Amino acid sequence: MQDEFSGQLKALEQYVSFRTLRRALSRSDLAAVNAELHRAAEKIIAAEKAGALTEDESAAIVNLLFVVLHYDLFYGLMQRLDCDLIDSYAAREAMCADFDIWKSTGTPGEGLWLTTFRKNADIPALKSQLLAALEALCLPVREFCEYPPEGTAEPKWVRKEIGEFELVTITDAVITADDGLFDDPRPNGKAYTLTDSDGCVYHLGGVRETTADHAEMQRVVLPKEGGRCFTAMGWIEGYTGRQRREIEFTLLPDRTAVFSFSTQEVDDSAAEEDARWRDYNAWADARMAFRRAYLAAFLDAHRTEG
């Protein structure tokens, strides 16, 4: 995977000089930053017109370019300035509002979205510097709205492809009802129904405590947690279909839990559209549509110029 990403970066560097971008950012030469990005777009369109790239390949290259601009160039600038964004929906909305004020007045508003690690830092000046950098990097401020609205239930799964199947891990599930499992000293062979704070229901049968089998994992990964590990057969409302499968899980003293299971030979497609995640899916779809639109607009502007 790392080799694949390195290859993609190398291909991207045929069109853009990140050395030029970093030097220009370090000098606060935002005109040079913007000029380099427009040169990159022109090179990509020229390659497309010459038949060296398809439109889909151009779109993939530009997508990677903006990933680097966001997570390397912009966050790298914040690191050099000893500041960071506040990670919340409200903070990022405040950032957008401040950007609009800055665009119309030249001075950012007083929204709370930036934290700094320097004493007596000039917050308005820092804000102005960052917002100007965003504009020079062609990064829409809305791209930084990475958190759904408060109260939106978000699926806690991490999905990883392994060969021909997928391993799903549900992290930090807050268990609100445990059917007595947390306090049961002899759970083996019993069935339990657990519920989490998102309303997901875990139907677990033939529970078997495997804490001793996972002693090394606990020592290395959970040295201070004191969790109990289990294996069961079951299914999870909100994360799987009704087909039973083996589920491994760990219960932690703070009443959170981690679950993992495979999707091999089961149909879990209904979980994608589960009503619990309706608002989150709508937000995520809108965010993806916005991203596709501004990337396409970036390229289309240079197609028109050509």
Side-chain angles (χ1 to χ4, degrees):
M1 186 65 71
Q2 183 62 39
D3 289 343
E4 181 181 352
F5 182 69
S6 297
Q8 292 171 343
L9 274 180
K10 187 173 182 180
L12 174 59
E13 288 170 348
Q14 299 177 55
Y15 305 100
V16 62
S17 170
F18 290 115
R19 183 180 182 182
T20 297
L21 288 173
R22 290 188 181 95
R23 283 184 171 181
L25 269 181
S26 68
R27 300 193 305 267
S28 297
D29 188 350
L30 300 185
V33 170
N34 196 251
E36 176 59 23
L37 290 178
H38 288 295
R39 277 195 294 271
E42 290 165 1
K43 290 178 183 177
I44 292 169
I45 295 303
E48 187 181 287
K49 290 180 177 179
L53 293 174
T54 65
E55 288 193 9
D56 285 346
E57 288 170 334
S58 296
I61 288 171
V62 168
N63 179 65
L64 179 58
L65 170 62
F66 275 80
V67 168
V68 177
L69 295 178
H70 185 147
Y71 293 102
D72 185 344
L73 274 295
F74 185 73
Y75 280 115
L77 174 62
M78 285 196 297
Q79 187 174 35
R80 290 193 297 275
L81 295 174
D82 290 327
C83 61
D84 202 358
L85 302 181
I86 297 172
D87 293 338
S88 73
Y89 171 79
R92 302 306 173 90
E93 289 296 311
M95 181 181 180
C96 292
D98 266 13
F99 182 84
D100 291 341
I101 294 170
W102 173 77
K103 281 291 290 181
S104 61
T105 68
T107 303
E110 297 181 359
L112 299 177
W113 53 271
L114 186 67
T115 184
T116 181
F117 309 108
R118 295 180 184 177
K119 291 183 179 180
N120 303 317
D122 186 339
I123 297 294
L126 270 177
K127 283 183 174 181
S128 293
Q129 187 172 355
L130 292 172
L131 297 176
L134 276 187
E135 190 167 55
L137 289 165
C138 302
L139 282 166
V141 67
R142 276 279 158 198
E143 176 64 8
F144 290 80
C145 294
E146 300 165 290
Y147 299 90
E150 303 293 345
T152 303
E154 179 179 355
K156 294 178 173 64
W157 55 19
V158 177
R159 303 162 69 170
K160 182 177 181 181
E161 290 186 6
I162 301 177
E164 296 181 355
F165 69 96
E166 184 179 57
L167 180 67
V168 181
T169 301
I170 301 168
T171 62
D172 299 322
V174 179
I175 304 302
T176 55
D178 71 344
D179 206 9
L181 177 55
F182 268 92
D183 297 323
D184 193 336
R186 291 181 291 276
N188 289 354
K190 299 178 185 178
Y192 300 86
T193 301
L194 279 59
T195 305
D196 71 18
S197 58
D198 294 321
C200 296
V201 182
Y202 302 76
H203 301 273
L204 306 169
V207 168
R208 180 171 64 88
E209 186 165 9
T210 57
T211 299
D213 299 339
H214 292 83
E216 181 63 16
M217 181 275 287
Q218 288 194 310
R219 186 184 69 79
V220 176
V221 181
L222 302 167
K224 299 179 182 179
E225 301 290 354
R228 296 171 70 193
C229 300
F230 302 86
T231 298
M233 292 296 294
W235 62 285
I236 306 170
E237 296 179 36
Y239 288 112
T240 76
R242 295 180 65 91
Q243 198 169 349
R244 284 160 50 90
R245 82 292 309 280
E246 184 174 82
I247 298 173
E248 294 183 350
F249 60 102
T250 299
L251 302 181
L252 301 172
D254 63 358
R255 301 192 72 82
T256 63
V258 178
F259 298 82
S260 64
F261 55 87
S262 165
T263 61
Q264 189 173 22
E265 298 180 353
V266 293
D267 180 7
D268 289 340
S269 57
E272 296 278 356
E273 304 302 326
D274 190 277
R276 293 167 183 79
W277 319 129
R278 184 178 295 122
D279 291 344
Y280 175 81
N281 287 338
W283 171 82
D285 288 346
R287 176 169 161 76
M288 184 61 68
F290 170 76
R291 180 177 176 80
R292 284 195 297 264
Y294 82 72
L295 293 179
F298 178 77
L299 275 177
D300 287 344
H302 294 85
R303 289 191 182 104
T304 303
E305 291 173 3

